Amino acid sequence: MSRPTCRVTLPRPLLQDFVYGVPEQLAGRVRPGVRVRVPFGPRNEIGLVHRVDDPERGGRRGDPPPARLKPIIEVLDDEPLLGPELLDLCRWVADYYVAPIGLVHRAALPPGMFTARRPSGAPPRMQQVVRLTAELPTLIERERAFGRAGRQREAFETIESMGGSAVIAHLEQQLGFGRSLVHGLVERGLAEIAEETVERDPFESDAPVEPPPATLNSDQAPIVDALRRKLGTAEPGAALIRGVTGSGKTVVYTRVIETALAAGRSALILVPEIGLTPQTVARFRAVFGDGIAVLHSGLSMGERHDAWRALRAGRKRVAIGTRSAVFAPLPALGVIVIDEEHDGSYKQSETPRYHARAVAAVRARREGALLVLGSATPSLESWDNAARGLYDLHELERRATAHPLPEVRLIDRRRPREGRDDGSAGGDAARDDASRILSDELRSAIDRRLRDGRQALLLLNRRGYSTVQQCRACGWIATCPACNVSLTWHRRRARLVCHHCGWEEEAPERCPSCREPELAFGGVGTEQVERVLGETFPAARIARMDVDTTGGKWAHEKILRRVRDREIDVLLGTQMIAKGLDLPGVTLVGVIDADVGLNLPDFRAAERTFQLLAQVAGRAGRGAEPGEVLIQTLRPDHPALRCTLTHDFVGFAAQELADRAGPGYPPHVRLANLVVSGEQETSVADAAGGLADWLTAVIEVAGSESTITMLGPAPCPIDRLRGRWRWHLLLKSTDAGHLGALLRYTAAKDPVGGSNRLEIDRDPESLL
Ligand code: ADP
Ligand code: ZN
Ligand code: ZN
């Protein structure tokens, strides 16, 4: 007689799953989506059942005979952690991104699920509730049940008015119904006492939130109507809202979500980084109150589990979270909103390298939910999808408030040869630094804000003091021992730091190579700007916001609160300050150096720069007074800068799409970046060459049928990272299916092998 078998995935970098036998006594409990403990090699591991096979038909060809299978040891969950839809979605992610299925399952669940028997060391906090078990619909029944026990009747009716159940502590402490009254109800057979989990929610941010606008304006209303109509259809599809900063996209999202909730469905909101967008979260909270669960990597494990459990049980029907929230367990999903859909943080940079926007699109389609993408600067991929009619396009061209978009000016920092001093003329070094960093225009604009009691926001997307330390005598440069990049000097900590791997060392007093005492500093970072600002405006209250100043859990919030309370005059920071902030006192936005990201050897460099400038420009003039934006650059003619001047996304996108057609970059083609890495430089180069030959042969077999072209092999722009040398190959195709098939074949055959590693990054966000 054959025994049932099941297929289990393990959280390891393995493409396959494993078959186990189901012992008779566990048969009823082994279901797809539950965790099990299984023998694996010399140890036991926790895995996830993703398929149970019919005992009659057995498993797949090639599986060992059931009699030889090792049995499952233990089942850890009574209810599946992943329902059938999410299991299917995980399968799609594993397939499309050529990712180990067990790692996809781990990514889809709250952390800690595969290391501990019970999820995490944080058991849910429990509280006692009283639940009514009887209905007393008529007055006569009530009289009969309670007689002269008037207080009991009051308690009963209070609980009834609260929806049939109440937290006992709340009844006791807030409403004055003693415990004996509750027990009286239980004794009469009218109620029962039960334990329920308490949802810890640390996101009860006290950030002041303006109430949501009561009425939609004439631009918003038709969009909400259109989206509601789509929501009611069987295949609602997807819509892209391009709305300038401050055009009121949030209220459009919330109205559509309300409609979904009213129809008994649930909603998912994805945001780029919750820590950076506390105001956004607070605004959704203001609308959905306790019905919303916040999923956030900054939360403790216990907090995450609470939120997750509440969603799975349907106690909350709106989830808001970052990338991994795309896997949130939401029954009857009605709508998925992706705010700032262009943001690079939606792509996971390690295995599984999924893009939450792509996963959301698949999920929405499969579950019959509406997908709503919103941005002031949509990704070119989404823009192109809209142009090809795959997404409905809606546009909000004006700010929703009476305040117009700010005026933008470029400050050309190129200097003709005559006027330049080469720094050797002596003079005041501090003043030289200042004039190198702040143009006269920007300096006087800041000065004006200080005199008028207004605030300024200054962006420099590079942290630390200076990014290059070079010996003037011999040319030595401080580089990371593990990565081929220069170290950044952090002045206050007196350390040289690698921004790629975290390596740190003491800053040398003199050149370690030739003992020259003087080192030259290049590449200005926020720490240096902070110093210069302090010296230039000694009376100004300055705050810096970057990774180095926001280590604590809610550090962003604290800095922002001080800005909001006008305890800060000038807020300086990296891209962190560009996102979603609504600070009415800010009338000046200054960009210290717009070219930081523009010169990166990456096909998205221009797009990223335009997005960042548009975002940060959108922070100016959100209050009653008009805003002004000053951008310092050496490349004022670059389209990313020219189009920022007029807030011209459409013009920028047209230019950028044209620029990407020639070399063939997304959205014109689909990309996969294949990175070969290892500890020996020549071995990695050889392996990359071998992979290229192998791929060429495979592609040739397909002959003229193949849509795939290959670029490389070549060293990666960062050719050494964390001690590993890196080469890459780029595969391009107009046909996602062809590309996927080749990638899966490559991963299965693993032609690299040996001590070198092959990583496949499909739809890469960056090629560095
Ligand atoms: P976006 O997300 O597009 O940048 P927001 O949703 O943050 O824009 O809205 C910008 C501001 O406009 C907010 O202060 C919001 O309250 C306000 N606003 C939005 N819609 C309306 C409306 N219909 N009437 C009045 N104010 C509105
Ligand atoms: Zn030297
Ligand atoms: Zn490093």
Side-chain angles (χ1 to χ4, degrees), residues 502-671:
W503 166 266
E504 287 193 14
E505 62 189 43
E506 218 152 297
E509 300 254 312
R510 14 178 90 231
C511 170
S513 162
C514 76
R515 315 302 298 161
E516 158 79 28
E518 201 186 343
L519 296 181
F521 303 117
V524 174
T526 46
E527 205 185 356
Q528 189 169 168
V529 178
E530 184 185 27
R531 196 198 101 202
V532 162
L533 286 172
E535 286 165 0
T536 313
F537 307 106
R541 296 165 300 174
I542 300 162
R544 171 161 63 94
M545 190 155 111
D546 56 31
V547 174
D548 301 308
T549 62
T550 52
K553 196 160 160 188
W554 306 112
H556 302 100
E557 253 308 279
K558 286 187 200 126
I559 297 177
L560 290 179
R561 188 171 313 138
R562 286 169 58 215
V563 178
R564 241 178 270 124
D565 294 345
R566 305 285 182 112
E567 291 167 22
I568 300 293
D569 305 309
V570 180
L571 176 64
L572 160 72
T574 53
Q575 58 177 353
M576 277 185 188
I577 64 166
K579 297 193 182 180
L581 300 182
D582 198 354
L583 301 165
V586 171
T587 60
L588 171 68
V589 164
V591 179
I592 305 291
D593 180 356
D595 311 342
V596 168
L598 201 52
N599 302 326
L600 291 175
D602 194 283
F603 74 97
R604 289 192 206 273
E607 184 183 11
R608 290 271 171 260
T609 300
F610 179 78
Q611 288 163 349
L612 181 62
L613 293 177
Q615 288 275 323
V616 75
R619 303 307 116 215
R622 294 177 78 102
E625 286 163 72
E628 181 184 22
V629 181
L630 298 179
I631 300 176
Q632 304 187 148
T633 176
L634 294 175
R635 304 181 68 181
D637 299 324
H638 192 286
L641 284 134
R642 265 200 349 259
C643 295
T644 300
L645 269 182
T646 47
H647 308 280
D648 182 14
F649 170 80
V650 176
F652 172 76
Q655 169 85 49
E656 182 64 16
L657 281 171
D659 287 350
R660 286 193 197 172
Y665 278 112
H668 303 294
V669 295
R670 312 297 286 267
L671 277 191

Side-chain angles (χ1 to χ4, degrees), residues 210-217 220 243-251 253 283 339 396 400-401 582 619 622:
E210 48 172 338
T215 53
L216 298 171
N217 64 33
Q220 294 161 330
V244 299
T245 54
S247 58
K249 294 184 285 295
T250 312
V251 66
Y253 305 148
R283 284 161 71 191
D339 193 25
L396 292 165
T401 52
D582 198 354
R619 303 307 116 215
R622 294 177 78 102

